[in-house]
Amino acid sequence: MTVRQLASLTRGAVRTLATDGAVAVLPIGAVEQHGDHLPLGTDFLLVEAVCDRALQQLEDDRTTWVRVPTMTFGHSPHHLFAAAVSLQAGTLTDVLADVLDSLAQTGFRRIVIVNGHGGNDELVRLAVKAHSLHAEGTAAACSYWTLTAQTTAEAAATERPDRTPGHAGWFETSLMLAVHPELVADDRPFTPSDPPPLFNRSPAPGLTVERHGEWPRVGGTTDDAREASAETGRLLLGRRVAGLVAALQSLDRATATPPAASVPSTDRERGPQA
């Protein structure tokens, strides 16, 4: 068995696995409103579904994967107008730093954060960058919806980048219908906002735009969830699981052997200064 649950292991077992090269996998989500038809735990429920299904496919892998308990709270101040349990950006940054440092001090030299909430995306990426400046080993981060892998033509045809990931819309509702249908309400009313929210449809490619009051104005959802289905959700989920499996295996191959240290000793060796 190559997938282990951190919370179920003794201290000796954890340290042995860590020093033997196990990879720690940490899911993080959020607790926040998802319209009137999805539960507040949608983000952490979905990232758990992707992580756990991906790890199931790695059960026979030669590498040991240690599943860290999910961090359920994230950075969600933009949803406090309706309902959320939110950490400030600085708080979440500090918590992530502490968790990464704790895992490193336990012996883990390879750690992956898998994120399930858009408001966390920049923070988890900054966290692994900051961690790598002072801790040995490798840390990585991704948001599950960005990972896809070749599965079937039918699955690929379901992709709608314009609605992925959205919020409480077609993408998330389809996934929830696939993994937790009992938590999805039948009634999914939607009224398109006019104009559409700038944070979801930027007026220029590559431009991040935030305007005060946009989330309450559009009712806390980004797109129509009435077209969502469990069948679509299973296809979308399958591609994200396959994408995460491929990403984890690629990281494993790239970091199986620590690189030799090389520190420039002269300005000439360091090259041009930025």
Side-chain angles (χ1 to χ4, degrees), residues 43-55:
D43 287 344
F44 76 77
L45 291 171
L46 291 181
V47 74
E48 285 183 329
V50 174
C51 275
D52 290 340
R53 283 164 172 77
L55 291 175

Side-chain angles (χ1 to χ4, degrees), residues 5 16 42 47 73 75-76 87 90 94-95 117 129 133 144 172 179 189 192 194 205 217 236 240 265-267:
Q5 299 293 322
T16 297
T42 292
V47 74
F73 299 136
H75 182 57
S76 306
L87 300 178
D94 289 343
V95 170
H117 166 54
K129 291 182 178 181
L133 294 176
Y144 79 83
E172 289 188 319
V179 299
D194 185 23
R217 180 180 71 81
L236 295 171
R240 269 72 199 175
S265 59
T266 67
D267 287 340

Side-chain angles (χ1 to χ4, degrees), residues 8 48 76 89 117 124 157 175 183 185 245 263-264:
S8 300
E48 285 183 329
S76 306
H117 166 54
V124 299
L175 289 175
L183 299 179
V245 168
V263 180

